[in-house]
């Protein structure tokens, strides 16, 4: 049995912070600076105007001119969500966080830990969360999500039974539920145009016809409507080591890079690192104009060299949309112990050649066999120019 | 036995057709692709493969157009026609 925890408008609520009155009026998360100009989560009042999450900003404002745009707070959302996930994990749940505000876990192993029934597990989850959330449980992940969508804040909805029970439960529900999954989020609209309003109608269609019209997302939607879903993939509990720097004045450019250098050095000096290299870090900033900025940076190879880390991170820092007043660097994935030790012997040439070969291989994989060619002098002294050289595959 | 695909080869500096109007007396180009010729820097004759089935006779001109561009064109003396070549 899968349990789904749903906190509607989580990102909007976190970004609104103390300004709770915003949530009572038409409001939407503004697009993140430098990203696609689409609104994020929207308030109930905005939904009444026909504004939907992911709608182009221009269209949203045309539908609702008084729409308040709330600056996004990706760093705050990530922190708040992490706290909630940790609380869920504290009851022993192996949680798969799908997106901020939506997480699932398998209840089977927890039933005996928490009083022997599913209701006790749900009660334990609610107590651990300490925040209003909708809980749903069902035989599949999608069914649990559908149940959570229909649950009330203090009354979880449970679908008992197997795949058939899930299909029967889902049958009268609207196809709009498919928006809850990133892979099928675009389907409800075209399905609606074809007159398919419920998941039962979708499940009744021939599989081949759905595949023919909608491709892979359509097949996934069809499987979900049948009450089937993929297995849960719980996250590995991350080990976070982070450093924060409050900047004396709003900084940008070279000054900010110096601050970044300091943060990198401090992070690498932390005892919890235990000599391990870093595979991925999160760089976050609080902007002087309000809102936050957050970027996860996976390194090409695990490293513990401050110079190379600075090089990789400085390029991301250049994307900062406004001067920052606080900068934060967190290690989110560790690599093996000091894997970036240099070899004793100088092997620069061989290494360069190997990198070049790998680059050529990747370019060919992406753009075809003619992506990397070299000039071969066939008859360099010929008086006829076109006979002097040819392009041949780079080997 | 499996057939091995031949390695693809792309020639460099292949001639491209050019619109040239030339002096009728000495064949000197006056306009190349709509640009007036300011100066002729050099001219040379290439005769090659005269012993084969496909002989080649070209009069090359290296000219500077009024926009300052250095262009090499040739007149195919066997088939006729003007070509630009780098």
């Amino acid at each position: 049995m899968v349990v789904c925890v749903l906190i509607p408008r989580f990102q909007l609520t976190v970004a609104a912070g103390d300004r709770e009155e915003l949530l009572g009026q038409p409001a939407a998360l503004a697009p993140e600076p430098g990203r696609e100009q689409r609104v994020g989560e929207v308030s109930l009042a905005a939904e009444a105007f026909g504004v939907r999450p992911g709608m182009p900003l221009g269209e949203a404002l045309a539908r609702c001119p008084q729409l308040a745009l709330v600056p996004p707070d990706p760093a705050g959302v990530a922190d708040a969500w992490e706290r909630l996930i940790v609380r869920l994990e504290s009851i022993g749940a192996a949680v798969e966080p799908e997106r901020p505000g939506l997480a699932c876990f398998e209840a089977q192993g927890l039933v005996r830990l928490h009083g022997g029934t599913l209701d006790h597990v749900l009660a334990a989850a609610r107590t651990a969360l300490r925040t209003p959330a909708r809980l749903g449980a069902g035989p599949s992940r999608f069914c649990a999500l559908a149940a959570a969508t229909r649950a009330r804040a203090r009354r979880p909805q449970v679908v008992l039974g197997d795949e058939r029970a899930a299909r029967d439960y889902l049958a009268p529900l609207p196809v709009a539920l498919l928006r809850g999954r990133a892979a099928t989020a675009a389907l409800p609209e075209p399905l609606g145009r074809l007159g398919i309003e419920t998941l039962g109608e979708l499940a009744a269609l021939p599989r081949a016809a759905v595949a023919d019209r909608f491709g892979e997302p359509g097949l996934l939607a069809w499987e979900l409507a049948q009450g089937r879903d993929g297995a849960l993939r719980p996250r590995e509990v991350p080990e976070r080591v982070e450093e924060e720097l409050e900047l004396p004045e709003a900084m940008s450019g070279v000054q900010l890079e110096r601050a970044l250098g300091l943060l990198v050095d401090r992070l690498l000096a932390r005892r919890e690192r235990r000599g391990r290299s870093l595979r991925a870090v999160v760089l976050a900033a609080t902007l002087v104009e309000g809102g936050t900025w957050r970027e996860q940076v996976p390194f090409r190879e695990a490293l513990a060299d401050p110079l190379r880390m600075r090089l990789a991170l400085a390029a991301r820092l250049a994307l900062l949309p406004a001067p920052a007043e606080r900068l934060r660097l967190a290690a989110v994935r560790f690599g093996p112990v000091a894997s970036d030790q240099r070899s004793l012997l100088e092997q620069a040439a061989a290494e360069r050649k190997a990198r070049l070969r790998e680059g050529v291989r990747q370019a060919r994989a992406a753009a075809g066999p003619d992506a990397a060619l070299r000039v071969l002098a066939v008859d360099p002294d010929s008086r006829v120019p076109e006979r002097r050289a040819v392009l041949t595959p780079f080997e | 036995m499996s057939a091995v695909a031949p390695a693809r080869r792309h020639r460099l500096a292949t001639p491209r057709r050019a619109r040239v109007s030339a002096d009728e007396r000495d064949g000197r180009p006056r306009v190349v692709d709509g640009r007036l010729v300011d100066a002729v820097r050099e001219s040379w004759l290439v005769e090659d493969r005269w012993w084969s089935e496909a002989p080649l006779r070209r009069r090359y001109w290296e000219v500077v157009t009024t926009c300052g561009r250095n262009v090499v064109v040739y007149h195919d003396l066997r088939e006729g026609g003007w070509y630009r070549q780098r």
Side-chain angles (χ1 to χ4, degrees):
Chain A
M1 187 66 72
V2 177
V3 176
C4 175
V5 178
L6 177 67
I7 305 177
R9 300 176 185 82
F10 180 73
Q11 301 184 43
L12 182 64
T13 312
V14 173
D18 301 333
R19 297 167 293 170
E20 281 174 6
E21 70 281 359
L22 268 177
L23 303 176
Q25 60 192 58
L29 264 188
E32 282 188 42
R35 303 262 163 88
E36 213 176 348
Q37 291 297 296
R38 290 175 183 276
V39 293
E41 290 180 349
V42 302
S43 66
L44 257 179
E47 266 181 22
F49 280 91
V51 181
R52 299 261 175 278
M55 186 176 267
L57 182 60
E59 189 182 342
L61 287 171
R63 288 191 181 202
C64 178
Q66 66 269 43
L67 186 73
L69 290 172
V70 181
D73 182 7
V77 168
D79 288 348
W81 186 232
E82 176 66 25
R83 278 197 296 277
L84 291 182
I85 296 290
V86 168
R87 284 177 195 168
L88 273 182
E89 284 168 344
S90 70
I91 64 163
V95 183
E96 179 187 336
E98 288 205 13
R99 57 178 158 81
L102 174 62
C104 294
F105 63 89
E106 182 60 60
Q108 204 173 7
L110 298 176
V111 171
R112 289 198 170 189
L113 268 177
H114 297 282
T117 65
L118 182 64
D119 289 342
H120 284 103
V121 174
L122 294 173
R126 178 179 309 287
T127 313
L129 280 172
R130 300 203 296 270
T131 188
R134 295 182 185 185
L135 298 180
S140 75
R141 206 165 14 149
F142 185 65
C143 181
L145 168 64
T149 315
R150 301 184 75 199
R152 291 186 191 164
R154 291 192 171 275
R155 195 175 298 167
Q157 188 145 120
V158 179
V159 182
L160 293 170
D162 55 1
E163 189 182 307
R164 176 172 292 189
R167 191 174 60 203
D168 293 344
Y169 177 79
L170 291 171
L173 302 185
V175 287
L177 275 176
L178 292 169
R179 289 205 179 95
R181 273 287 178 85
T184 56
L187 290 182
E189 208 184 326
L191 283 171
R193 280 202 299 270
L194 293 171
I196 298 157
E197 302 289 346
T198 64
L199 291 167
E201 288 168 7
L202 174 63
L205 292 173
R207 186 176 184 274
V210 176
D212 196 33
R213 175 66 181 78
F214 297 105
E216 202 173 332
L219 276 182
L220 175 61
W222 189 81
E223 290 285 336
L224 297 178
Q226 299 289 336
R228 293 190 282 265
D229 202 348
L232 282 183
R233 282 169 298 171
R235 72 167 189 168
E236 287 175 20
V237 179
E239 184 185 354
R240 276 175 82 95
V241 179
E242 73 179 37
E243 278 293 331
E244 192 173 280
L245 195 63
E246 189 125 5
L247 306 171
E249 56 190 57
M251 282 186 182
S252 60
V254 182
Q255 285 175 312
L256 201 57
E257 278 182 33
R258 290 210 184 109
L260 173 71
L262 185 62
L263 268 184
V264 167
D265 291 343
R266 276 165 51 170
L267 189 72
L268 289 175
R270 287 282 290 266
R271 191 183 288 175
E272 298 96 309
R273 189 168 73 86
R274 295 195 300 274
R276 288 172 295 173
S277 50
L278 307 182
R279 276 199 192 285
V281 295
V282 166
L283 187 59
T286 306
L287 304 177
V288 69
E289 294 170 351
T292 56
W293 173 88
R294 184 178 187 274
E295 188 95 22
Q296 179 151 350
V297 187
F299 297 122
R300 289 176 66 183
E301 56 178 345
L303 52 91
D305 178 359
L307 269 180
R308 292 173 68 196
M309 277 178 71
R310 264 181 237 167
L311 265 178
L313 295 174
R316 302 299 177 104
L317 213 52
L319 303 174
L320 207 64
E325 55 186 19
R326 187 179 296 168
L327 201 59
R328 195 166 58 171
L329 185 65
V332 288
R333 270 210 322 275
F334 289 94
V337 173
S339 72
D340 59 342
Q341 279 190 353
R342 293 278 168 260
S343 78
L344 192 59
L345 305 171
E346 196 56 57
Q347 291 179 328
E351 205 170 286
R352 257 201 313 276
K353 219 175 244 180
R355 276 190 199 163
L356 187 61
R357 265 202 303 276
E358 177 60 16
V360 167
R361 193 189 66 73
Q362 288 187 15
R364 281 212 180 114
D370 285 348
L373 301 168
R374 79 158 130 209
V375 177
L376 178 70
V378 183
D379 184 4
D381 298 326
S382 172
R383 295 190 304 150
V384 184
E386 66 261 34
R387 289 191 194 137
R388 288 178 198 151
V390 293
L391 285 174
T392 183
F394 187 96
E395 296 303 338
Chain B
M1 204 167 82
S2 65
V4 178
R8 273 186 282 185
R9 298 205 314 181
H10 308 258
R11 285 198 178 279
L12 285 174
T14 47
R16 291 179 186 179
R17 194 165 272 280
R19 286 178 293 113
V20 177
S21 78
D23 195 317
E24 286 177 2
R25 289 166 298 170
D26 54 4
R28 173 187 292 254
R30 284 188 309 192
V31 181
V32 174
D33 286 337
R35 302 265 182 204
L36 277 176
V37 171
D38 194 41
V40 173
R41 293 191 62 187
E42 208 179 338
S43 170
W44 66 96
L45 182 71
V46 171
E47 290 188 324
D48 199 25
R49 302 202 170 215
W50 45 265
W51 61 91
S52 72
E53 294 285 314
L56 187 144
R57 283 193 75 219
R58 294 174 181 175
R59 164 62 68 182
Y60 275 87
W61 299 88
E62 183 182 348
V63 299
V64 180
T65 61
T66 45
C67 63
R69 184 169 287 182
N70 199 331
V71 184
V72 175
V73 291
Y74 72 79
H75 185 214
D76 191 327
L77 299 176
R78 278 180 52 79
E79 309 284 337
W82 284 88
Y83 297 86
R84 178 194 274 257
Q85 196 164 35
R86 294 179 74 184

